[in-house]
Amino acid sequence: MPRMTAARAAVEILKLEGVEVAFGVPGAAINPFYAALKASGGIRHTLARHVEGASHMAEGYTRAKAGNIGVCIGTSGPAGTDMITGLYSATADSIPILCITGQAPVARLHKEDFQAVDIASIAKPVTKAATTVLEAAQVPGVFQQAFHLMRSGRPGPVLIDLPIDVQLTEIEFDPEAYQPLPVHKPAANRIQVEKAIALLQESERPLIVAGGGVINADAAELLLEFAELTGVPVVPTLMGWGIVPDDHELNAGMVGLQTSHRYGNENFLASDFVLGIGNRWANRHTGGLDVYTAGRKFVHIDVEPTQIGKIFAPDLGIASDAKAALVLLIEVARELAAAGRLKDRREWAAGTQARRAELQRKTHFDDVPLKPQRVYEEMNRAFGPETRYVTTIGLSQIAGAQLLHVYKPRHWINCGQAGPLGWTIPAALGVAAADPEGQVVALSGDYDFQFMIEELAVGAQHRIPYVHVLVNNAYLGLIRQAQRNFDIDFQVKLEFENINAPELGVYGVDHVRVVEGLGCKAIRVTRPEELLPAFEEAKKLAAEFRVPVVVEAILERVTNISMAAADIDKVMEWEELAAGPGDAPTAIRALNA
């Protein structure tokens, strides 16, 4: 049998499991692994500036393409703890990433060695498995099991912690004899699917709620086929946005307290049956359950059995991978169609589109400073159906989800549950690394942008181009809006007069200079007519210089974005609504006022 260090065996397994890219930061306790990475070749490494950034890059890389598993690597102690936010974000959204950390020697684990921490215990609540490997001979099996766990059932992250002496120990390992473990996913059976279809057939105004699990299962085409076969309109969740193109006649709009469309909420409230596939009934989607569930029946299909009934009890729950369930749903629906027994849903579907043409928000504002709605209107003009949007949290994300358009799965890449500030830049770099020739557009408010701004240097160093739209109001906008309920405006202002950039007034940080100092390109926009030319120029600069290009839009200081406090039937519309087609010129359906 060939002999090699356990670290080299781990690297060989990564390649055999399909890993081509890794993100990380070397350090003393992980250097044997890095030595093996260099000696083995075949895995492209991107050096991050912060280990949390590396974990978010791995997330972006996984989310960008079916089958990808992002890998992030760090040394012992704080490198592992820095990755915890990335692991939490990945586990919350069912994203498989592998975190590999160095560790103090086995004999020193409980002796308060420099940068020694029980990272496996810390990471366990936010991973599918977290293991400190104490025996070198176990390394191949631990890595093999890690990939099996990440891909099986509900996908999620795994952490493997490698003491330095374990990495250096020689073991017997033959890469030619290695074989990945088979992936296990639960699958619906015929009886379950027939019962689901029966409930669908009994209804008059059904909807499909399509979640991120459909994208994780690479089943978007099947879901669209099922919707078209049955004529049932589809509500994508925020994590499922793009499963059905925004301009499709069966796209009923998004539902929720914040990232929702006016017509989406009204379509949902008019429904009497909901088939949820690969979704988790997130609270930002449902709002108060009394309103959300009243007067309608539910079927819930999810790959994780314990997800069924977690938020509310459906009329029928099915533990199944989305793809396996959809194959059977299509089979049964085809049989009914052939027998002439499928209900005609054309009138109901047409009603959902009528609401889309009647219930719109205004985007065309000529104000200076800019209103954010105009930024998204011009983004719709500048960035086409191939665009992959990347964003995390804040008023920028909420307004973006209300006003932008997405046409394909994995083209709205969003940190759905965790929402950590700073996620957007590194995640966008991960997405762009996975799709180097694609058009990647990130969206941030100024606070999210500043959290991990140093990662822009990674894009400059490794020539990873993308366009980053920065909407700057020098405020913690979402927190400011939430503080209205407490009648305060406290510790949420980022304003200050920058002595080195008096032309900015109270907008403080000179993002253009900072971005350029990090080796990237930047454009500042203050007037609405400048937005579209700036976006076009940014695309050219990204293509020419192969670096991130930031377009900073200087916004009015305070804009309240549409949202509700508790129930989806009580969304507060703070701004004037669209009254004619010219008020929302980039809407999918021209306004029928």
Side-chain angles (χ1 to χ4, degrees):
M1 289 283 285
R3 288 186 65 81
M4 61 185 71
T5 65
R8 179 62 181 266
V11 171
E12 296 302 324
I13 290 171
L14 293 183
K15 293 194 293 184
L16 290 165
E17 293 281 0
V19 173
E20 298 176 352
V21 176
F23 308 88
V25 179
I30 197 65
N31 272 339
F33 185 90
Y34 270 90
L37 199 65
K38 183 178 187 296
S40 178
I43 295 178
R44 188 171 76 253
H45 183 272
T46 298
L47 176 64
R49 292 300 188 270
H50 190 296
V51 192
E52 181 187 339
S55 69
H56 297 324
M57 290 174 201
E59 280 189 82
Y61 183 82
T62 296
R63 293 172 191 249
K65 183 180 177 183
N68 277 5
I69 290 186
V71 174
C72 50
I73 309 165
T75 191
S76 59
T81 56
D82 284 343
M83 289 183 189
I84 293 299
T85 301
L87 289 168
Y88 161 43
S89 171
T91 202
D93 289 348
S94 306
I95 304 299
I97 65 171
L98 178 61
C99 289
I100 302 168
T101 54
Q103 182 57 275
V106 172
R108 306 292 302 175
L109 287 180
H110 303 292
K111 298 182 184 295
E112 298 186 13
D113 238 31
F114 176 66
Q115 291 190 334
V117 69
D118 186 359
I119 191 63
S121 293
I122 294 170
K124 270 189 171 64
V126 290
T127 57
K128 293 190 77 172
T131 306
T132 298
V133 186
L134 303 179
E135 299 290 342
Q138 289 186 298
V139 166
V142 170
F143 273 79
Q144 186 182 41
Q145 176 76 346
F147 282 93
H148 169 73
L149 287 172
M150 285 188 287
R151 293 174 174 140
S152 293
R154 180 182 182 181
V158 169
L159 179 138
I160 299 176
D161 187 40
L162 298 173
I164 189 168
D165 52 336
V166 168
Q167 295 175 59
L168 290 165
T169 300
E170 284 200 348
I171 61 172
E172 291 182 345
F173 177 70
D174 185 353
E176 292 183 0
Y178 180 85
Q179 179 175 309
L181 294 173
V183 174
H184 171 72
K185 292 184 182 291
N189 62 38
R190 174 84 185 199
I191 293 174
Q192 292 171 319
V193 166
E194 286 177 347
K195 289 180 179 294
I197 292 285
L199 286 167
L200 172 64
Q201 286 282 87
E202 291 171 6
S203 68
E204 298 298 325
R205 300 176 303 282
L207 290 173
I208 298 168
V209 170
V214 176
I215 293 176
N216 285 346
D218 198 25
E221 289 184 5
L222 290 174
L223 188 132
L224 183 55
E225 180 182 350
F226 177 69
E228 290 176 340
L229 179 62
T230 58
V232 177
V234 179
V235 168
T237 68
L238 188 65
M239 294 298 295
W241 197 9
I243 290 171
V244 175
D246 268 8
D247 59 356
H248 195 285
E249 61 185 7
L250 290 177
N251 188 314
M254 283 196 289
V255 171
L257 299 177
Q258 297 176 342
T259 55
S260 60
H261 301 112
R262 293 180 65 210
Y263 55 88
N265 280 354
E266 290 301 318
N267 283 332
F268 186 88
L269 291 167
S271 71
D272 65 356
F273 172 81
V274 177
L275 171 59
I277 305 179
N279 65 307
R280 60 182 177 85
W281 313 116
N283 66 303
R284 286 207 300 169
H285 166 81
T286 65
L289 294 177
D290 287 348
V291 170
Y292 189 84
T293 60
R296 53 192 63 88
K297 292 184 177 180
F298 290 85
V299 171
H300 190 198
I301 300 173
D302 196 87
V303 72
E304 172 54 49
T306 62
Q307 198 73 26
I308 308 293
K310 177 179 282 189
I311 308 302
F312 60 85
D315 296 271
L316 175 64
I318 303 173
S320 177
D321 170 67
K323 180 176 284 187
L326 282 163
V327 167
L328 272 181
L329 284 164
I330 290 169
E331 179 182 302
V332 174
R334 280 179 179 163
E335 292 171 4
L336 289 171
R341 294 170 51 203
L342 269 184
K343 274 193 175 180
D344 187 338
R345 308 291 186 183
R346 283 176 293 182
E347 184 178 349
W348 161 239
T352 67
Q353 297 309 297
R355 292 183 187 91
R356 173 183 284 205
E358 294 167 359
L359 301 170
Q360 296 179 11
R361 296 180 173 113
K362 182 175 179 177
T363 60
H364 196 75
F365 295 92
D366 292 325
D367 301 55
V368 178
L370 297 163
K371 292 188 82 68
Q373 293 87 345
R374 182 63 181 269
V375 178
Y376 305 116
E377 176 184 310
E378 300 300 337
M379 287 175 70
N380 284 332
R381 288 195 174 97
F383 305 117
E386 300 301 319
T387 303
R388 294 183 189 268
Y389 288 111
V390 184
T391 186
T392 180
I393 192 64
L395 290 184
S396 55
Q397 175 237 37
I398 293 167
Q402 293 176 4
L403 301 173
L404 293 174
H405 306 313
V406 176
Y407 299 89
K408 296 183 178 182
R410 301 183 188 275
H411 280 54
W412 174 265
I413 296 175
N414 180 85
C415 183
Q417 191 202 97
L421 287 165
W423 185 88
T424 307
I425 291 176
L429 291 168
V431 172
D435 185 12
E437 300 307 317
Q439 182 168 273
V440 177
V441 177
L443 172 62
S444 288
D446 43 299
Y447 207 44
D448 170 54
F449 189 74
Q450 290 174 21
F451 254 57
M452 301 199 79
I453 195 170
E454 76 284 347
E455 301 305 320
L456 286 173
V458 176
Q461 177 182 355
H462 294 277
R463 292 293 185 260
I464 306 174
Y466 77 94
V467 174
H468 202 125
V469 178
L470 164 61
V471 287
N472 180 9
N473 60 1
Y475 241 123
L476 306 189
L478 179 56
I479 308 307
R480 175 204 55 75
Q481 188 165 335
Q483 284 190 352
R484 293 173 61 96
N485 296 324
F486 299 91
D487 196 26
I488 59 171
D489 186 17
F490 182 64
Q491 291 297 304
V492 289
K493 295 180 182 179
L494 299 176
E495 66 185 46
F496 66 94
E497 294 186 6
N498 187 332
I499 59 173
N500 299 305
E503 69 276 12
L504 291 176
V506 299
Y507 283 81
V509 174
D510 189 339
H511 293 112
V512 170
R513 287 187 193 176
V514 175
V515 168
E516 291 176 343
L518 289 166
C520 303
K521 292 285 186 179
I523 303 167
R524 180 178 293 123
V525 175
T526 59
R527 302 187 63 84
E529 65 270 17
E530 298 169 352
L531 283 164
L532 186 58
F535 293 146
E536 297 297 341
E537 179 66 12
K539 289 190 283 186
K540 292 176 184 176
L541 291 171
E544 178 182 357
F545 294 101
R546 308 297 293 176
V547 297
V549 180
V550 176
V551 178
E552 179 186 34
I554 302 298
L555 302 185
E556 63 184 7
R557 297 298 312 287
V558 172
T559 309
N560 291 317
I561 299 299
S562 307
M563 67 181 72
D567 295 318
I568 61 173
D569 63 345
K570 294 182 176 64
V571 172
M572 177 68 74
E573 300 291 345
W574 298 95
E575 299 286 344
E576 59 184 294
L577 298 173
D583 287 340
T586 61
I588 293 293
R589 299 275 184 272
L591 185 71
N592 181 18

